[in-house]
Amino acid sequence: MRVKEKEKMATKKLIGMTGDQAAAHAMRQIAPDVVAAYPITPQTEIVMSFSQFVADGKVATELIPVESEHSAMSACIGSAAAGARTMTATSANGLALMWEVVYIAASTRLPIVMSVVNRALSAPINIHCDHSDTMGARDSGWIQIYSENAQEVYENIISAVKIAEHKDIRLPVMVCQDGFITSHAVEGIELSDDKTIKDFIGEYKIDHSLLDIDNPVTYGPLDLQDFYFEHKYQQSFAMKNALSVIPKVLQEFNKTFGKNHDLIEEYKLKDADIGIVALSSTAGTARAVIDDLRKKGIKAGLLKPVFFRPFPAERILKAISHLKVVGVMDRAESFSTMGGPLFSEIRSAMYDSKQKPPIVNYIYGLGGRDIFPEDIEKVYEELESIKRAGKIKTLISYLGVRE
Amino acid sequence: MKKKGWKEIAIGGLIDKGGTAKEYNTGSWRTFKPVVDKTKCINCLQCWIYCPDSSIKVKDGKMEGFDYDHCKGCGICAAICPVKCIKMEKG
Ligand code: SF4
Ligand code: SF4
């Protein structure tokens, strides 16, 4: 760490908390009108801490303790349509149980913000981190933000409110963090003050409230062959639009909070020969590995897509096209036999690119299998050997799976 | 009538005012249409009560016929009529 950074750290007021607690604090400061949620490991602490804030009178949110995740999202839909700023949180099988209504929230264009603490889907039963839950929901029409650490969880939730509610977007947002790795590890978090957050997010205003009896409206009506398609196109257009609107919202966020958020994040990538692409906490581990490799003269770099939906294809291509070899890390299996979701999308985006470096996929860390610096080092070693040999031996590898 | 394009309609399928069902011609769904024999009709208005689409026309307390723009041809009126003076015909 440079001296300057050390000094900066010393003046920061850091509070020790987990990723889940960071999410709950963001919710407390956002003070949504309604939270309808059901606890599930490893998200439980978000609902638990937030309930405590409500019980202690620290936030005036109407908390609806529902009987299932399906009900949680259903209540959120009603509440958001009524004109209330609405938030919730879930994980894994909870998200799976929500499935039907997750789509309805997006297609009804309700700007709900939901924390998702990434966890493996059953079966076999597993409560630990992978991205199979939110990757399964990648085509549900929600915006997806992946957070590397607790500080990012906190900040992403705040910017998510503004992104979701933006008049040119109007889509719900999932703010993801890695189960246990981020959700249960205590880190030093810097909280912003309530007023700055309130001023930044502003008031949630809706043009048509379900409760406005003088101007009655219908949300979620029957929509057949004659108009359904147009509504789907609107949704698609909004998602595409979000690619240019989100950076503007993030710029405003950065200006207000002194941060540096973007659709993607690079680490030592500009002059790199080999690079990996990874979401969430794995990006943090990769940084440490890169620093070591750089000392040995290996030009390694990292690309962390922060947003997976909308998919920032152009930005990603721009960032990685110059590399000699790319390794994409997927903490989810898609069973397409074409690799994980991140890999398929990046590889597909490359089809139109003039520069097409060899690209390989690593499925890793399923069911919370640890990903150590040595594992990532091994990936870089393989990328180096592909670079030397000039050809790919294995397109899709399952990192560390025993024979 | 030219149908509205994606830029002209409210997002998310929202219907931004009440009473718009009237503009939707559910009569096009019909296979059988109800036809009344007014010489037998006793104007009990049972059909008016039961019609799920408010498609029985009534004037001065008397059954007058059907609103074919909205009648879906379900046949409930014919089934409920106590004197069986409504027949369901093809077309
Ligand atoms: S057929 Fe059905 S919809 Fe038509 S008038 Fe009779 S009851 Fe109403
Ligand atoms: S139910 Fe039959 S008899 Fe009664 S008003 Fe209708 S058509 Fe006439």
Side-chain angles (χ1 to χ4, degrees), chain A residues 107 109 170 208 216-219 221 226-227 230-231 233-234 237, chain B residues 3-6 9-18 24 29:
Chain A
S107 12
R109 310 290 299 275
R170 287 271 163 175
H208 302 280
V217 293
T218 306
Y219 273 91
D226 49 357
F227 279 106
E230 277 68 28
H231 287 123
Y233 184 73
Q234 287 179 334
F237 181 84
Chain B
K3 287 198 186 90
K4 286 182 176 167
W6 69 274
I9 53 176
I11 58 166
L14 178 100
I15 298 174
D16 55 8
K17 56 180 186 290
Y24 201 91
W29 301 1

Side-chain angles (χ1 to χ4, degrees), chain A residues 269 275-279 282-283 301-305 316 320 323 326-330 342-343 346 359-362 364 380 383:
Chain A
L269 199 59
I276 64 169
V277 184
L279 299 169
T282 306
L302 162 80
L303 173 75
K304 180 183 80 175
I316 291 176
I320 62 170
L323 295 171
V326 182
V328 180
M329 311 275 294
D330 265 294
L342 191 56
F343 177 66
I346 294 178
I359 182 166
V360 288
N361 189 205
Y362 292 89
Y364 76 98
Y380 278 118
L383 299 184

